Amino acid sequence: MRIWSVHPRYLDAKGLVALWREALLAQKVLSGETRGYRHHPQLKRFRKHEQPLEAIAAYLHEVQREAERRGYNFDATKILRQGTAVRIPVTDGQIAYELSHLRAKLEVRDRAALERLPNGEPPSIHPLFKVISGDVEDWEVV
């Protein structure tokens, strides 16, 4: 499971579809609808949020909007809540790690998407998150 902190605009088609499916799975886990993945480290930051289901809903809404911008049809009725404006902190070290990880994936999978990644300047991040200074997050499996 990979729930990216960088904005979904950087993902290729395969990555965006995978993100949608994995974030929907995260929603199921957080709502207690499945027993698998309950201890997945990617969910720690959502569990720390005062309203975890609203946080994952806000995340999903942005992924769905990105899909819509690309002409894809992701079913927004699968999102259980409206979302939240309360943002989750993410470290600049985590963002750098994710960008490097994504770059490696796109080098193999989609060179055109790789060319769209920012080079030298900070990337846009998912609007649920706010960047703070720090190393790679402790929940990240490096």
Side-chain angles (χ1 to χ4, degrees), residues 79-90:
I79 305 171
L80 301 178
R81 304 282 175 105
Q82 289 300 311
T84 180
V86 178
R87 296 167 69 199
I88 297 173
V90 63

Side-chain angles (χ1 to χ4, degrees), residues 49-100:
H49 193 279
E50 61 191 39
Q51 297 177 307
L53 289 173
E54 277 72 12
I56 195 65
Y59 190 89
L60 280 160
H61 281 295
E62 186 62 26
V63 174
Q64 191 274 332
R65 281 190 288 274
E66 177 60 27
E68 193 173 81
R69 281 190 282 274
R70 296 184 191 193
Y72 305 157
N73 187 21
F74 288 10
D75 185 0
T77 65
K78 292 184 177 192
I79 305 171
L80 301 178
R81 304 282 175 105
Q82 289 300 311
T84 180
V86 178
R87 296 167 69 199
I88 297 173
V90 63
T91 62
D92 52 5
Q94 178 66 28
I95 298 297
Y97 174 80
E98 288 185 20
L99 198 58
S100 173

Side-chain angles (χ1 to χ4, degrees), residues 16-50:
L16 188 64
V17 170
L19 176 60
W20 175 249
R21 291 176 48 209
E22 290 167 2
L24 285 172
L25 174 59
Q27 178 180 248
K28 279 187 173 247
V29 172
L30 293 169
S31 63
E33 293 181 31
T34 183
R35 292 182 356 181
Y37 293 93
R38 287 184 300 177
H39 304 291
H40 198 285
Q42 288 274 331
L43 298 178
K44 286 183 180 178
R45 59 185 165 172
F46 289 93
R47 284 203 169 96
K48 287 181 184 177
H49 193 279
E50 61 191 39

